[in-house]
């Protein structure tokens, strides 16, 4: 039996906490990751966002399979805690912008050609 305690999830930010936290994100294909100790094992947890709170504390929002059942859950944890450890960094710089590439949103529809027939740059056009 392990003596490592499972990390406690952090509560959400509230107006009485002061200024809203600064939120940093990474591209969905190049996120840093933590490991979360859960159900007796270290679980891989890609970071969705880092929150820097006005009081100087840091929280990480991660995606993690807490039970090893392939059921991914979003959790936010205050850093540091004994049940959290760094897994790896990202090769990308974090950003404060909220764009679809960094949020892992739905892909955009491909560009559609006009329905009027071949165009100059198409395989059958001239």
């Amino acid at each position: 039996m392990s003596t490592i305690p499972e990390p406690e999830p952090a509560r959400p930010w509230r107006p009485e906490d002061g200024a809203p936290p600064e939120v940093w994100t990474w591209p969905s294909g190049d996120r840093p990751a933590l490991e979360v100790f859960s159900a007796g094992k270290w679980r891989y947890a890609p970071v969705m966002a880092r929150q820097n709170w006005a009081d100087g504390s840091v929280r990480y929002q991660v995606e993690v399979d807490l039970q090893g059942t392939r059921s991914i859950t979003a959790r936010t944890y205050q850093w540091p805690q004994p049940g959290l450890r760094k897994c790896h960094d990202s090769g990308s710089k974090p950003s404060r912008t909220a764009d679809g590439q960094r949020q892992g949103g739905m892909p955009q529809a491909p560009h559609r050609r006009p329905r009027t027939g071949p165009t100059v740059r198409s395989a059958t056009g001239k």
Side-chain angles (χ1 to χ4, degrees):
M1 178 148 211
S2 176
T3 60
I4 301 169
E6 292 191 10
E8 291 291 323
R11 67 170 178 76
W13 174 85
R14 297 181 190 134
E16 57 268 20
D17 294 324
E22 281 186 330
V23 178
W24 296 88
T25 61
W26 290 264
S28 59
D30 188 21
R31 296 178 183 169
L34 300 177
E35 288 182 312
V36 176
F37 193 77
S38 178
K41 293 186 178 183
W42 288 101
R43 311 288 180 173
Y44 182 75
V47 174
M48 295 188 297
R50 174 187 165 129
Q51 302 173 5
N52 295 344
W53 284 35
D55 65 2
S57 63
V58 173
R59 288 161 175 76
Y60 286 99
Q61 183 179 12
V62 300
E63 295 175 321
V64 62
D65 176 0
L66 293 169
Q67 301 299 318
T69 60
R70 298 185 183 166
S71 177
I72 304 299
T73 304
R75 287 286 188 269
T76 303
Y77 296 105
Q78 186 167 340
W79 181 265
Q81 293 188 51
L84 298 175
R85 67 184 183 190
K86 180 179 171 181
C87 183
H88 65 76
D89 287 326
S90 169
S92 302
K93 292 183 179 181
S95 173
R96 293 192 58 207
T97 62
D99 61 32
Q101 182 184 25
R102 292 184 175 274
Q103 297 173 352
M106 295 296 291
Q108 294 188 5
H111 177 70
R112 293 185 183 186
R113 290 189 321 181
R115 296 180 185 215
T116 58
T119 62
V120 175
R121 293 187 180 144
S122 73
T124 57
K126 297 187 181 193

